[in-house]
Amino acid sequence: MTKRPSWDIKCLLPENKDAYKVLKEAFIDRKHIKPLEALLGIDSTGKIRTYDLTTAPHLFTAGTTGSGVNVGLNMIYLSMMLHSLPEDVQLIVIDPTEVEFKAYNDSPFMYADVVTDVEKTVKVFEYLVGEMENRLSLFDELKVLDLETYNTKVSPDEKKPYLVLIVEEISDLMVEHGDKIAECMSRLRQKARSAGILTHINTHVPRPEIIKENLVANFPSRLVYKVDNSSQSKLVLGEGGAEFLLGKGDSYIKSAESERLVRVQSIFLSDDEISSIIDSTVKKFPDEKYYSRIKF
């Protein structure tokens, strides 16, 4: 039986700490931070929750308008930018809405400019499949099994970054290119993790006629915000309950390694704060090499 949430999200933010401070302080006392460790938010006990995304190489997120899903996604990726190096982490963003991730174009962590043309999205997925195969061939030559080990055996110029594909509103793409994207995702799920390639897709309209179960099955880790009804919750979370979430960043995280749901409240960042974080990365990494991007 699904339990209705009983706690108030207002109590989750520690006293005298605004959201920006929580974001900056999440890793401040940590000596060994993994490149893809990200801030999820604050759990029901008031504890700051982080998550190593290498354990969730294929992450499905969903939430209706007003649920806070985009706020949560911004927090995840911006928190990585605060403690990682562009040599270690590069993002590829598909955003047909041309709104949510526009500011990311200025970041040194971008592998390519934000892709807004739906017709180019299949090229992105095909590129990643090809990159995965190329990397695995290099790994075979050195007799290594994963990116982390590979990078310890090659020169700095030969090292490969983690590539994180972020898709804002996958439903738009599925309408146009659903079969091809599903095919690419099936191939990526099998071997992309060891190649250091992660895929994170999001939707605001988790309707089964658009978001097919075989697509969702490729994403064993889920981050789900408030949805409209129990059917949507069962589709994206695997069980009911997300329809009772409170909105504005209230979410469930379900990892591939555990069936247990963890309730987390995302931290709200204003547009000015997002711009401020990205500006700080530009100042931190001014070298032109960080702004040479591939074209799709």
Side-chain angles (χ1 to χ4, degrees):
M1 179 181 295
T2 301
K3 294 184 179 180
R4 184 181 296 273
S6 59
W7 44 274
D8 184 353
I9 61 174
K10 293 180 181 178
C11 73
L12 296 182
L13 200 61
E15 187 176 359
N16 299 322
K17 285 192 177 183
D18 62 31
Y20 191 43
K21 288 182 180 178
V22 173
L23 179 63
K24 293 186 70 175
E25 292 173 7
F27 306 99
I28 197 167
D29 294 324
R30 302 278 301 280
K31 293 182 179 179
H32 303 290
I33 307 171
K34 295 182 179 180
L36 290 176
E37 191 164 359
L39 175 62
L40 288 181
I42 300 175
D43 68 17
S44 57
T45 68
K47 179 183 177 181
I48 295 175
R49 284 272 185 171
T50 63
Y51 193 32
D52 180 9
L53 295 178
T54 56
T55 66
H58 306 303
L59 177 67
F60 191 98
T61 62
T64 59
T65 301
S67 66
V69 59
N70 287 117
V71 170
L73 293 179
N74 271 306
M75 181 187 62
I76 286 171
Y77 303 120
L78 292 170
S79 69
M80 290 193 302
M81 292 183 196
L82 286 176
H83 69 74
S84 298
L85 300 174
E87 291 93 339
D88 296 332
V89 180
Q90 290 281 284
L91 308 179
I92 301 173
V93 179
I94 296 174
D95 182 12
T97 69
E98 303 186 40
V99 174
E100 193 58 44
F101 293 96
K102 186 176 181 180
Y104 282 40
N105 276 330
D106 295 329
S107 170
F109 287 85
M110 294 296 289
Y111 193 71
D113 288 337
V114 175
V115 178
T116 59
D117 185 350
V118 173
E119 296 305 313
K120 291 183 179 181
T121 57
V122 171
K123 293 181 180 179
V124 176
F125 279 91
E126 291 176 337
Y127 176 89
L128 287 175
V129 170
E131 177 66 13
M132 175 186 72
E133 298 294 349
N134 289 337
R135 289 185 176 198
L136 293 176
S137 294
L138 292 174
F139 295 178
D140 285 343
E141 291 176 11
L142 291 181
K143 295 181 170 54
V144 300
L145 298 177
D146 56 48
L147 178 67
E148 186 175 0
T149 307
Y150 171 82
N151 282 341
T152 65
K153 294 182 176 293
V154 297
S155 68
D157 290 341
E158 296 175 297
K159 288 183 177 181
K160 304 287 187 181
Y162 285 101
L163 292 179
V164 183
L165 172 65
I166 305 164
V167 182
E168 163 60 359
E169 198 45 78
I170 190 69
S171 64
D172 291 345
L173 313 186
M174 295 305 293
V175 171
E176 298 288 336
H177 305 292
D179 290 343
K180 189 62 180 178
I181 289 174
E183 178 187 341
C184 289
M185 275 309 314
S186 179
R187 294 179 65 185
L188 289 168
R189 183 189 176 183
Q190 295 172 22
K191 298 181 288 185
R193 179 176 184 171
S194 59
I197 297 173
L198 294 74
T199 54
H200 295 174
I201 67 175
N202 177 54
T203 183
H204 297 278
V205 285
R207 298 196 301 268
E209 64 270 23
I210 300 176
I211 308 299
K212 306 296 185 181
E213 288 187 6
N214 64 335
L215 176 69
V216 179
N218 286 312
F219 296 84
S221 295
R222 320 280 172 81
L223 178 59
V224 182
Y225 297 77
K226 183 177 176 59
V227 295
D228 286 335
N229 52 58
S230 62
S231 295
Q232 291 183 356
S233 180
K234 290 175 183 177
L235 174 65
V236 298
L237 191 61
E239 59 186 280
E243 72 272 25
F244 296 131
L245 291 171
L246 304 177
K248 297 184 179 180
D250 188 19
S251 64
Y252 283 127
I253 179 71
K254 186 175 188 177
S255 72
E257 300 172 344
S258 173
E259 289 294 312
R260 188 173 69 89
L261 296 181
V262 177
R263 187 117 177 254
V264 177
Q265 171 64 37
S266 296
I267 307 299
F268 176 76
L269 291 170
S270 68
D271 290 343
D272 287 343
E273 287 169 330
I274 291 171
S275 295
S276 176
I277 292 172
I278 291 176
D279 287 346
S280 71
T281 66
V282 173
K283 292 176 182 177
K284 189 176 180 180
F285 303 105
D287 196 309
E288 289 185 4
K289 69 179 182 180
Y290 297 122
Y291 304 91
S292 176
R293 277 107 187 241
I294 66 165
K295 303 290 184 181
F296 291 112

